Amino acid sequence: MDSCLFIHGFTGGIHEISPLSLFMEQHNYHSRTFAIKGLGGSRQDLLQADRHEWRRVAEEELQGLLKTGNRVHLIGFSTGALIASYLSVQYQARIKSLTLLSAPVFPLNTLEILKTLGSVSMLRNYLRKFGSTPAKATREFQRLVRESFEIYPRIEIPTLIVQGKRDHLVKTKSAGFLQQTIPSSLKQVMMVENSGHMVCHCQDSERIMKEVLQFIKGTGEQISV
């Protein structure tokens, strides 16, 4: 049985990717989700951890899956997509595919984000989030974004890029940049008209999940041939 390792986003958690994780389980893939301390935890956790710690925790989870002997597919959401990209290069010979969901190659800044919010409740939610996120954690995120530009040209495994056209946290040109920069001979871009940042929870989530499944199935068939 192939395994899928899911990596959540900045100040987020397992809930961000749980619909896709469950979907893959239902289609006979072993799904592994986990919480990264300091990436989606309390303010104190955010203060104590840095991007190196985020990567280390995810790498330990990956190493655990690789020990099972199963083929492993990396699926990263938002900041988790940056971490998944890093791991896909470090373990390139042992990773079968990479799926990047809402990858923040070009994230919006705070003022741009506030301009794109469509409701008072969303505005309040993000103002609260910005207020509770330590500056140190934000700087670590920004460093991770910058460092990832050295990673993308080294990704050679099959890669699926999923980007919502209504994403209020990531500029849509991020997907095009990844398509042009990643040298993999097998890569695919899915632009979702009616999706914001949370692609696993949008109204087109079922279509997205089916696309991820078919892409991963396709890489498995290619390997078996």
Side-chain angles (χ1 to χ4, degrees):
M1 178 186 290
D2 284 12
S3 295
C4 296
L5 182 65
F6 292 83
I7 308 176
H8 68 76
F10 183 62
T11 70
I14 293 171
H15 65 278
E16 295 172 322
I17 34 80
S18 57
L20 180 55
S21 172
L22 178 60
F23 180 81
M24 296 303 291
E25 284 276 5
Q26 292 170 342
H27 288 81
N28 301 316
Y29 286 84
H30 170 66
S31 293
R32 174 63 180 149
T33 58
F34 61 99
I36 299 180
K37 183 179 180 181
L39 191 57
S42 66
R43 180 180 176 85
Q44 190 61 34
D45 287 339
L46 285 166
L47 283 169
Q48 292 177 347
D50 59 19
R51 66 196 186 284
H52 304 297
E53 178 70 5
W54 303 341
R55 287 171 175 160
R56 185 192 66 75
V57 173
E59 186 170 9
E60 287 183 353
E61 295 288 341
L62 174 58
Q63 289 173 344
L65 277 185
L66 290 173
K67 287 178 182 177
T68 67
N70 292 345
R71 295 188 298 215
V72 176
H73 304 270
L74 287 173
I75 301 175
F77 167 73
S78 196
T79 301
L82 306 184
I83 298 172
S85 296
Y86 168 81
L87 293 176
S88 76
V89 169
Q90 297 301 309
Y91 294 83
Q92 197 142 244
R94 304 184 67 188
I95 303 299
K96 301 311 174 186
S97 76
L98 173 66
T99 297
L100 304 175
L101 308 173
S102 306
V105 180
F106 300 108
L108 296 172
N109 62 40
T110 304
L111 288 177
E112 289 176 314
I113 291 170
L114 295 179
K115 288 177 183 177
T116 63
L117 296 179
S119 69
V120 174
S121 61
M122 287 179 68
L123 181 59
R124 287 174 179 167
N125 179 56
Y126 279 95
L127 283 173
R128 184 166 55 252
K129 200 168 199 178
F130 291 138
S132 63
T133 304
K136 174 185 179 293
T138 301
R139 286 194 298 270
E140 288 299 311
F141 163 72
Q142 292 169 341
R143 287 167 181 155
L144 185 61
V145 169
R146 290 194 297 270
E147 291 170 359
S148 295
F149 282 95
E150 297 179 5
I151 300 296
Y152 305 133
R154 298 165 58 194
I155 298 174
E156 297 180 357
I157 63 173
T159 303
L160 173 63
I161 301 155
V162 180
Q163 174 67 52
K165 289 188 176 182
R166 298 182 181 181
D167 194 332
H168 54 278
L169 296 179
V170 176
K171 294 179 181 178
T172 54
K173 69 176 184 177
S174 295
F177 176 86
L178 290 172
Q179 184 179 31
Q180 293 176 355
T181 307
I182 292 174
S184 171
S185 59
L186 177 57
K187 56 190 171 185
Q188 185 176 321
V189 176
M190 181 182 189
M191 299 297 296
V192 188
E193 188 71 38
N194 296 312
S195 177
H197 191 60
M198 301 285 283
V199 292
C200 293
H201 293 271
C202 73
Q203 65 185 68
D204 284 333
S205 60
E206 185 175 349
R207 183 165 65 91
I208 293 170
M209 292 189 290
K210 287 180 179 178
E211 189 72 26
V212 173
L213 174 64
Q214 290 306 311
F215 181 81
I216 288 177
K217 271 187 176 180
T219 63
E221 291 168 359
Q222 192 178 64
I223 290 166
S224 63
V225 172

